[in-house]
Amino acid sequence: DHIAKDIALGLHSMITLLSPSIVVLGGGVDVNFDHFKRPLAKYLRASYPRYPLPPVVPAKFVETGVVQGCFILAHDLVSEPNR
């Protein structure tokens, strides 16, 4: 439960700054996502009582997600250079 609280604290800052449409968690968090999904949601809702939260989901590609994300970002930047 304390791990979920700590993760929620970090996500709170990131969600506030970036306003993402979705939050994808990977690594060790992804492996144990089912164990702290509910406590994490509870702490996030407590942080944002009136703010619509983005969905928080586990990564589908734990081993290659970072590389795939970099590729997609690079592709988007090349495709839309004024972005």
Side-chain angles (χ1 to χ4, degrees):
D1 198 53
H2 72 279
I3 294 172
K5 187 174 184 177
D6 290 345
I7 293 171
L9 180 63
L11 289 178
H12 174 84
S13 299
M14 292 177 56
I15 291 169
T16 301
L17 289 171
L18 303 173
S19 190
S21 58
I22 190 169
V23 175
V24 180
L25 301 177
V29 175
D30 174 71
V31 173
N32 298 300
F33 188 74
D34 288 337
H35 290 37
F36 60 84
K37 180 180 180 179
R38 282 192 202 136
L40 179 61
K42 175 182 77 173
Y43 289 119
L44 282 174
R45 279 193 302 273
S47 298
Y48 294 97
R50 297 184 182 152
Y51 183 78
L53 289 170
V56 179
V57 299
K60 290 183 182 178
F61 305 103
V62 178
E63 298 294 325
T64 60
V66 173
V67 174
Q68 289 182 16
C70 291
F71 176 77
I72 291 168
L73 178 60
H75 177 268
D76 288 351
L77 290 173
V78 170
S79 299
E80 301 175 30
N82 295 327
R83 188 174 165 203

